[in-house]
């Protein structure tokens, strides 16, 4: 029988919850893969973000099915899906909503009425989020962290669960606005969509150039996802593995005395404690997804790169030497001593 931390419920009920988790997870992947070809690693990361309750930034070239992937995932989850196409003229109120004056025709009395913006959904697709100015990008900050929205001093709670899945294009940077560090830090993952294999590209052509059309069926509910998020947090992690996570994150900070020389040379600012929290949560979700009931070193390493790559700020030396964050992080992971697992 599995052993979970803080276990205070009937073992049979816990086993049912775990079995439900694996059943739903497998069915979500099956449904999404009826539409999306390849990109298995990115799909896994999106699922982990959903099971953790985090947000995901999808970075990829045009035509890599970023938008289609998010919409298909929302259909399989049976959640309310909203999409915002970010443009330079988008205003914060276009995201959060705004108060309007309504007049009662019978009495002539006027009252303020709040009209909800697209942020009031379960899954928000922020398409090409770097195409809008920081003022509008920042309209998402409170929602992403607190799951609330403040308009004219009034606090509105967003529906649960709430996820922001944002996309951005790594090319055509002219006319774009890089995301502020504070907002990047609120994304659990920065997932990179790479090129498909030749066989996968052939499958895409076969699926999209004929009259056939794949349909996606809903396989879960908001209540299930909220339960899965609690289940993930119950997965235990050893102290040695937790200390390794802390050591790894602290080693990304150039002012840390134990930071390697290449970090001090190429990094201006390292990751915050939020990165350590996210690595642990993502590692717990990965362990449970792989039918293991404790976090291992491999779980941490697998999650470290997508959690950390957007949280370290490189300096001009890195740009000059054409060093990117992924290269530095792989080198750092190889250098930080592995934990001794009991």
């Amino acid at each position: 029988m599995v052993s979970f931390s803080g276990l205070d419920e009937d073992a049979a009920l816990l086993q049912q919850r775990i079995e439900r988790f694996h059943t739903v997870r497998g069915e979500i992947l099956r449904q999404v893969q009826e539409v999306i070809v390849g990109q298995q690693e990115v799909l896994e990361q999106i699922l982990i973000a959903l099971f953790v309750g985090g947000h995901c930034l999808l970075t990829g070239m045009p035509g890599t099915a970023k938008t289609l992937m998010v919409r298909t995932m929302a259909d399989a989850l049976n959640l309310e899906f909203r999409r915002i196409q970010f443009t330079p003229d988008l205003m914060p109120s276009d995201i959060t909503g705004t108060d309007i004056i309504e007049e009662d025709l019978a009495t002539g009395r006027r009252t303020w009425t709040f009209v909800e913006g697209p942020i009031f959904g379960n899954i928000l697709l922020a398409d090409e989020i770097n195409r809008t100015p920081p003022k509008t990008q920042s309209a998402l900050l409170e929602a992403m962290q607190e799951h609330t929205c403040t308009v004219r001093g009034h606090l509105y709670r967003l529906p649960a669960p709430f996820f922001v899945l944002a996309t951005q294009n790594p090319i055509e940077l002219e006319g774009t606005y890089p995301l502020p560090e504070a907002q990047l830090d609120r994304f659990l993952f920065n997932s990179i969509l790479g090129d498909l294999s030749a066989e996968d590209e052939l499958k895409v052509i076969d699926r999209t150039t004929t009259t056939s059309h794949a349909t996606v069926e809903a396989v879960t509910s908001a209540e299930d996802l909220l339960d899965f998020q609690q289940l993930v947090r119950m997965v235990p992690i050893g102290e040695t593995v937790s200390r390794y996570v802390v050591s790894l994150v602290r080693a990304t900070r150039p002012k840390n005395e134990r930071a390697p020389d290449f970090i001090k040379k190429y990094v201006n600012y390292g990751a915050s404690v939020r990165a350590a929290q996210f690595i642990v949560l993502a590692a717990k979700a990965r362990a449970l997804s792989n039918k293991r009931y404790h976090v291992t070193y491999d779980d941490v390493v697998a999650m470290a790169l997508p959690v950390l790559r957007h949280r370290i700020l490189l300096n001009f030396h890195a740009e000059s030497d054409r060093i990117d964050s992924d290269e530095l992080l792989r080198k750092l992971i190889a250098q930080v001593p592995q934990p001794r697992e009991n």
Side-chain angles (χ1 to χ4, degrees):
M1 184 60 204
V2 299
S3 175
F4 270 55
S5 62
L7 180 60
D8 58 355
E9 61 180 294
D10 183 75
L13 177 59
L14 177 61
Q15 188 66 34
Q16 290 176 5
R17 293 173 65 189
I18 294 172
E19 290 173 358
R20 174 66 178 165
F21 173 89
H22 292 303
T23 300
V24 168
R25 179 185 176 276
E27 191 61 22
I28 291 172
L29 280 176
R30 190 185 71 80
Q31 290 287 336
V32 173
Q33 287 168 346
E34 289 291 321
V35 178
I36 302 298
V37 177
Q39 305 294 1
Q40 184 66 28
E41 185 177 359
V42 176
L43 288 176
E44 295 280 355
Q45 289 172 7
I46 293 176
L47 274 180
I48 287 174
L50 297 175
F51 294 147
V52 167
H55 312 288
C56 195
L57 178 63
L58 305 177
T59 303
M61 301 284 283
T64 50
K66 300 184 295 295
T67 303
L68 179 62
M69 186 181 296
V70 175
R71 184 181 292 276
T72 305
M73 189 72 73
D75 290 340
L77 294 170
N78 195 27
L79 298 179
E80 186 175 357
F81 173 77
R82 302 286 184 89
R83 174 181 175 178
I84 303 174
Q85 185 66 49
F86 279 70
T87 56
D89 60 347
L90 195 72
M91 298 297 292
S93 59
D94 295 328
I95 297 175
T96 61
T98 187
D99 284 321
I100 64 172
I101 297 178
E102 286 192 340
E103 182 177 352
D104 189 327
L105 296 179
T107 64
R109 185 176 180 181
R110 296 179 179 180
T111 57
W112 287 101
T113 301
F114 179 65
V115 179
E116 294 181 351
I119 203 172
F120 286 87
N122 295 121
I123 292 185
L124 175 66
L125 170 57
D127 216 355
E128 294 191 280
I129 191 172
N130 58 335
R131 294 279 174 196
T132 202
K135 177 181 179 180
T136 304
Q137 292 172 357
S138 298
L140 289 174
L141 284 177
E142 179 186 357
M144 293 174 69
Q145 184 63 29
E146 308 296 338
H147 291 191
T148 59
C149 174
T150 304
V151 177
R152 292 184 64 250
H154 297 284
L155 185 68
Y156 302 93
R157 186 158 296 278
L158 301 179
F162 174 73
F163 309 102
V164 174
L165 301 178
T167 70
Q168 66 176 3
N169 185 344
I171 62 173
E172 297 180 347
L173 297 181
E174 185 175 349
T176 63
Y177 305 85
L179 295 181
E181 296 301 320
Q183 184 164 10
L184 281 173
D185 196 44
R186 283 165 170 78
F187 284 102
L188 171 64
F189 291 138
N190 180 8
S191 301
I192 307 295
L193 285 83
D195 294 329
L196 298 177
S197 66
E199 289 300 317
D200 283 343
E201 289 193 15
L202 186 60
K203 290 179 183 178
V204 172
I205 293 174
D206 290 340
R207 289 188 184 183
T208 59
T209 60
T210 63
T211 57
S212 62
H213 178 70
T215 58
V216 178
E217 297 180 0
V219 298
T220 187
S221 64
E223 291 74 20
D224 271 342
L225 283 177
L226 293 174
D227 182 64
F228 296 158
Q229 290 173 12
Q230 294 302 313
L231 194 63
V232 163
R233 289 175 176 268
M234 294 171 65
V235 177
I237 180 172
E239 183 180 349
T240 55
V241 181
S242 293
R243 288 187 178 276
Y244 170 76
V245 173
V246 173
S247 297
L248 181 63
V249 171
R250 290 176 65 84
T252 65
R253 304 167 190 165
K255 293 183 179 179
N256 188 291
E257 59 183 14
R258 295 188 179 182
D261 290 339
F262 61 87
I263 292 293
K264 295 178 180 179
K265 178 180 179 181
Y266 291 121
V267 177
N268 267 345
Y269 298 99
S272 69
V273 68
R274 183 180 282 147
Q277 294 172 310
F278 281 165
I279 289 175
V280 169
L281 282 173
K284 287 186 174 188
R286 184 179 187 271
L288 187 60
S289 298
N290 290 314
K291 298 185 178 181
R292 285 182 285 99
Y293 307 109
H294 67 284
V295 177
T296 67
Y297 166 78
D298 290 337
D299 293 320
V300 171
V301 170
M303 297 292 96
L305 195 60
V307 170
L308 291 174
R309 64 162 53 109
H310 57 295
R311 289 186 162 85
I312 62 172
L313 185 62
L314 305 185
N315 57 29
F316 69 93
H317 293 295
E319 184 177 355
S320 176
D321 293 346
R322 297 185 177 180
I323 301 291
D324 63 16
S325 58
D326 282 21
E327 182 178 347
L328 284 178
L329 289 170
R330 290 191 183 98
K331 190 174 180 180
L332 180 64
I333 291 170
Q335 184 163 324
V336 176
Q338 296 186 21
R340 294 181 180 179
E341 298 186 26
N342 296 329

